[in-house]
């Protein structure tokens, strides 16, 4: 089933997309040179930005017809610049859940999501002490714990070494397949895309 479809979409002076289809339940990697519109595409898919022209559909309906707040809860986008509070890892989970007015996970569940995202740190670790790659993975863990329908990642391995990148994507894909989450990722790492993508969209 087509999850997203774009037809003749254009953002003046930034990018244009003649026709793109992203299927539900598959892992899709978006590849291409810097500046070709990969990150912009992700922002279009959760209505963070709107096109100047063209048609974007989500589950067969115009994306503009959805409530944007609810849409972004179902279609989570993690940009390259993640935001964490200057507090412990545990309290970051609690604060994000508080904003959603949802019951926060137990320490055990938090630890499970951190392990999925290759984070081996105490829940009492202050996020100010984390490296860029660690901050990124903690934020991925928080977003994954919400069990969205779609998880979109913008260069999720850019600050990671090869072995950590492999472990992260391997775990994320396995978890998303098991829980029927559609995974979409922008990457410059073509080898990683070839190993884990069900579909690769090459942009020019």
């Amino acid at each position: 089933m087509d999850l997203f479809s774009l037809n003749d979409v254009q953002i003046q002076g930034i990018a244009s997309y003649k026709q793109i289809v992203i299927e539900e339940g598959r892992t899709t990697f978006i590849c291409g040179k810097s500046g070709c519109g990969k990150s912009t595409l992700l922002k279009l898919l959760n209505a963070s930005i709107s096109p100047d022209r063209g048609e974007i559909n989500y589950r067969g309906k115009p994306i503009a017809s959805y409530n944007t707040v609810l849409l972004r809860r179902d279609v989570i986008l993690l940009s390259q610049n993640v935001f964490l509070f200057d507090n412990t890892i545990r309290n970051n989970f609690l604060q994000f859940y508080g904003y959603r007015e949802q019951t926060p996970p137990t320490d055990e569940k938090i630890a499970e999501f951190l392990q999925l995202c290759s984070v081996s740190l105490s829940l009492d670790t202050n996020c100010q002490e984390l490296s860029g790659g660690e901050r990124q993975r903690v934020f991925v863990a928080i977003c994954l714990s919400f069990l969205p329908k779609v998880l979109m990642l913008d260069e999720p391995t850019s600050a990671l070494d090869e072995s950590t990148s492999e472990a992260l994507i391997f775990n994320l894909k396995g978890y998303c397949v098991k829980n029927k989450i559609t995974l979409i990722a922008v990457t410059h790492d073509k080898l990683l895309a070839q190993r884990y993508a069900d579909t690769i969209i090459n942009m020019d």
Side-chain angles (χ1 to χ4, degrees):
M1 174 183 174
D2 292 350
L3 184 66
F4 292 103
S5 62
L6 288 79
N7 294 290
D8 196 27
V9 170
Q10 185 170 354
I11 296 184
Q12 198 67 35
I14 299 176
S16 61
Y17 311 89
K18 186 174 182 181
Q19 187 172 43
I20 293 176
V21 172
I22 295 175
E23 296 181 59
E24 186 171 14
R26 295 174 67 81
T27 297
T28 298
F29 275 71
I30 301 167
C31 301
K33 295 179 181 179
S34 297
C36 70
K38 303 185 300 297
S39 299
T40 300
L41 174 59
L42 297 188
K43 293 175 183 177
L44 287 167
L45 296 181
N46 83 333
S48 293
I49 57 175
S50 301
D52 293 315
R53 75 174 192 197
E55 181 182 74
I56 303 175
N57 292 318
Y58 174 59
R59 296 184 180 276
K61 293 170 54 180
I63 203 165
S65 69
Y66 288 87
N67 178 295
T68 53
V69 173
L70 297 179
L71 175 71
R72 290 171 196 161
R73 290 192 174 199
D74 283 346
V75 184
I76 291 183
L77 168 59
L78 282 78
S79 66
Q80 295 182 54
N81 299 315
V82 302
F83 174 80
L84 292 174
F85 299 99
D86 294 336
N87 212 320
T88 65
I89 292 174
R90 177 190 294 106
N91 284 339
N92 267 271
F93 271 84
L94 298 182
Q95 284 185 262
F96 278 106
Y97 270 80
Y99 286 139
R100 285 187 168 221
E101 299 182 344
Q102 292 180 228
T103 303
T106 63
D107 282 4
E108 184 179 19
K109 289 301 290 184
I110 292 174
E112 287 179 18
F113 282 107
L114 291 174
Q115 185 177 19
L116 267 171
C117 296
S118 301
V119 180
S120 302
L121 295 169
S122 165
L123 272 59
D124 295 317
T125 303
N126 194 299
C127 290
Q128 286 181 299
E129 303 169 6
L130 305 182
S131 68
E134 288 169 336
R135 290 175 64 85
Q136 194 173 37
R137 281 174 282 146
V138 167
F139 196 62
V140 172
I142 292 170
C143 292
L144 187 64
S145 73
F146 288 125
L147 298 178
K149 291 183 172 63
V150 185
L151 182 65
M152 302 194 297
L153 309 174
D154 193 353
E155 296 286 359
T157 62
S158 60
L160 307 180
D161 58 57
E162 185 176 348
S163 62
T164 306
S165 297
E166 286 278 348
L168 176 64
I169 299 302
F170 176 83
N171 290 345
L172 283 178
K173 178 169 183 177
Y175 188 84
C176 287
V177 169
K178 182 179 178 181
N179 291 277
K180 298 181 180 179
I181 299 170
T182 300
L183 179 62
I184 304 171
V186 162
T187 185
H188 282 99
D189 191 334
K190 292 184 178 180
L191 292 178
L192 203 64
Q194 288 168 1
R195 288 191 192 101
Y196 294 106
D198 299 316
T199 302
I200 298 176
I201 297 174
N202 289 301
M203 294 183 58
D204 191 352

